């Protein structure tokens, strides 16, 4: 046998809201008419002003102002200016190029060709003369000059640079062997002696003193501080925390938190739910019906 369900089905129709009493419904209707109707009228006036005044202005301005001005500029300025440019500049330039410049260029080309044909032997002789001069320059001037420069460079390297290089190398080797190397060995011996007989003993003495100070000074002091922290500070802290939790915290919980919680659960929350269900919700439904009746919703 099935047990009846205690919960209502979610598909069940919700109960209709209770109508407001007449003493509350009529003031709400009057307020809605006095506030909503003027706002609606103002909104319709603004829509009509935008549709019949603001929107036609750009079309009328283009049709009766901008377009006539553009046509006037085209007929008064642009077309006469184009005619002047064509008949005073372009046409004379074309005539000059066809009847003056082109015949002059043709005549110049023909004269150049005729002159080249009748002076061909002169240009051949001139080219041969230039070639002979360049060959003589190369053979009797540039080649001997190159040989002289090569001999000079070889002699300079053999009799000047090479002896100087050998002398510098001998000086460097001698200075390293009898100067730098003995000095380096002396500095190394001195550094080893300073480390062995000065720095190392001093370091060992300092390490011994620091070890004695740490073992017989810092370590006992640290152990004493740790004992004091563990056996004095920590128990005192626990005692203070226990006293705080069992005095101030308990008083705050039972004198402030508990009364505030009881006041909220027993007085404030039920009063708020009653105001929401009995006053605000019926007023909201009434205002919605009024707006729907006026066609504003």
């Amino acid at each position: 046998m099935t047990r009846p369900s205690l919960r209502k089905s979610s598909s069940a129709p919700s109960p209709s809201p209770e109508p407001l009493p007449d003493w509350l419904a009529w003031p709400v209707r009057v307020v809605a008419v006095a506030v909503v109707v003027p706002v609606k009228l103002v909104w319709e006036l603004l829509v009509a002003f935008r549709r019949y005044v603001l929107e036609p202005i750009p079309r009328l301005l283009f049709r009766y102002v901008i377009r006539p001005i553009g046509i006037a500029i085209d007929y008064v300025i642009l077309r006469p200016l184009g005619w002047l440019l064509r008949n005073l500049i372009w046409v004379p330039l074309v005539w000059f190029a066809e009847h003056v410049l082109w015949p002059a260029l043709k005549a110049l080309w023909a004269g150049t060709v005729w002159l080249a044909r009748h002076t061909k032997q002169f240009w051949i002789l001139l080219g041969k003369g230039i070639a002979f001069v360049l060959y003589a320059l190369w053979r009797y001037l540039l080649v001997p000059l190159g040989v002289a420069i090569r001999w000079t460079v070889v002699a300079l390297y053999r009799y000047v640079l090479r002896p100087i290089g050998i002398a510098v190398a001998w000086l460097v080797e001698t200075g390293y062997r009898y100067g730098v190397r003995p000095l380096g060995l002396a500095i190394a011996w001195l550094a080893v002696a300073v480390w062995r007989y000065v720095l190392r003993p001093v370091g060992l003495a300092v390490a011994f003193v620091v070890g004695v100070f740490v073992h017989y000074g810092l370590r006992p002091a640290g152990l004493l501080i740790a004992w004091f922290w563990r056996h004095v500070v920590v128990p005192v802290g626990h005692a203070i925390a226990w006293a705080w939790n069992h005095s101030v915290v308990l008083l705050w919980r039972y004198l402030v938190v508990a009364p505030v919680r009881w006041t909220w659960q027993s007085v404030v929350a039920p009063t708020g739910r009653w105001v929401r269900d009995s006053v605000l919700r019926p007023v909201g439904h009434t205002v919605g019906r009024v707006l729907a009746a006026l066609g504003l919703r």
Side-chain angles (χ1 to χ4, degrees):
M1 185 174 182
T2 60
R3 297 177 62 185
S5 178
L6 298 178
R7 296 182 179 178
K8 294 183 179 181
S9 176
S10 60
S11 61
S14 60
S16 59
E18 298 180 359
L20 291 176
D22 293 338
W23 63 270
L24 183 60
W26 279 105
V28 171
R29 293 174 183 175
V30 171
V31 171
V33 171
V35 174
V36 175
V37 172
V39 173
K40 181 70 174 177
L41 292 176
V42 171
W43 176 256
E44 294 295 335
L45 289 175
L46 292 175
V47 172
F49 179 76
R50 179 182 63 83
R51 181 178 301 172
Y52 297 106
V53 177
L54 295 180
E55 291 183 356
I57 286 177
R59 295 194 297 269
L60 297 175
L61 187 65
F62 175 77
R63 181 178 299 175
Y64 296 104
V65 178
I66 298 176
R67 189 169 179 273
I69 290 176
I71 295 173
I73 291 173
D74 181 54
Y75 280 96
V76 174
I77 298 175
L78 298 180
R79 293 193 180 188
L81 184 62
W83 184 87
L84 291 174
L85 291 175
R86 182 177 181 278
N87 293 278
L88 296 181
I89 297 177
W90 177 251
V91 174
L93 284 176
V94 173
W95 183 88
F96 178 78
E98 290 178 356
H99 296 84
V100 177
L101 186 61
W102 179 247
L105 291 176
K106 289 176 66 176
L108 181 62
W109 175 256
T112 304
V113 172
W114 180 86
L115 183 63
R117 287 178 180 176
H118 290 80
T119 58
K120 180 171 65 174
Q121 296 298 327
F122 169 76
W123 295 110
I124 293 174
L125 294 175
L126 181 62
K128 290 181 178 180
I130 293 173
F132 175 76
V133 171
L134 292 177
Y135 175 75
L137 220 75
W138 166 260
R139 182 167 185 138
Y140 299 107
L141 180 62
L142 296 180
V143 172
L145 184 61
V147 173
I149 292 173
R150 179 177 176 276
W151 182 86
T152 304
V153 171
V154 171
L156 183 65
Y157 169 75
R158 183 176 297 173
Y159 299 107
V160 178
L161 297 180
R162 188 170 178 274
I164 292 176
I166 294 173
V168 171
W170 181 82
L171 288 175
V172 170
E173 184 180 359
T174 303
Y176 171 76
R177 182 177 296 176
Y178 299 104
V180 177
R181 188 171 179 274
L183 182 62
L185 292 175
I187 293 174
W189 179 85
L190 181 61
V192 171
V194 170
W195 164 256
R196 182 175 297 173
Y197 300 107
V198 178
L199 296 179
R200 188 172 180 275
V202 171
L204 293 176
V206 171
F208 174 76
V209 172
V210 171
V212 171
F213 179 71
V214 170
H215 186 73
Y216 296 102
L218 293 180
R219 187 171 179 275
L223 293 175
L224 180 61
I225 293 172
W227 180 88
F228 181 76
W229 175 265
R230 182 178 299 172
H231 297 284
V232 177
V233 175
V234 173
V236 171
H238 286 306
I240 294 173
W242 182 87
W244 174 267
N245 290 328
H246 289 78
S247 61
V248 177
V249 174
L250 291 177
L251 291 175
W252 173 261
R253 181 181 298 172
Y254 290 106
L255 294 180
V256 177
V257 176
V260 170
R261 183 183 299 171
W262 179 85
T263 303
W264 176 263
Q265 295 177 353
S266 302
V267 178
V268 177
T271 304
R273 288 194 294 270
W274 179 84
V275 171
R276 181 193 63 191
D277 297 334
S278 302
V279 178
L280 297 179
R281 186 174 292 170
V283 170
H285 288 301
T286 301
V287 172
R289 291 198 300 270
V290 170
L291 295 178
L294 294 176
L296 301 178
R297 186 177 179 183

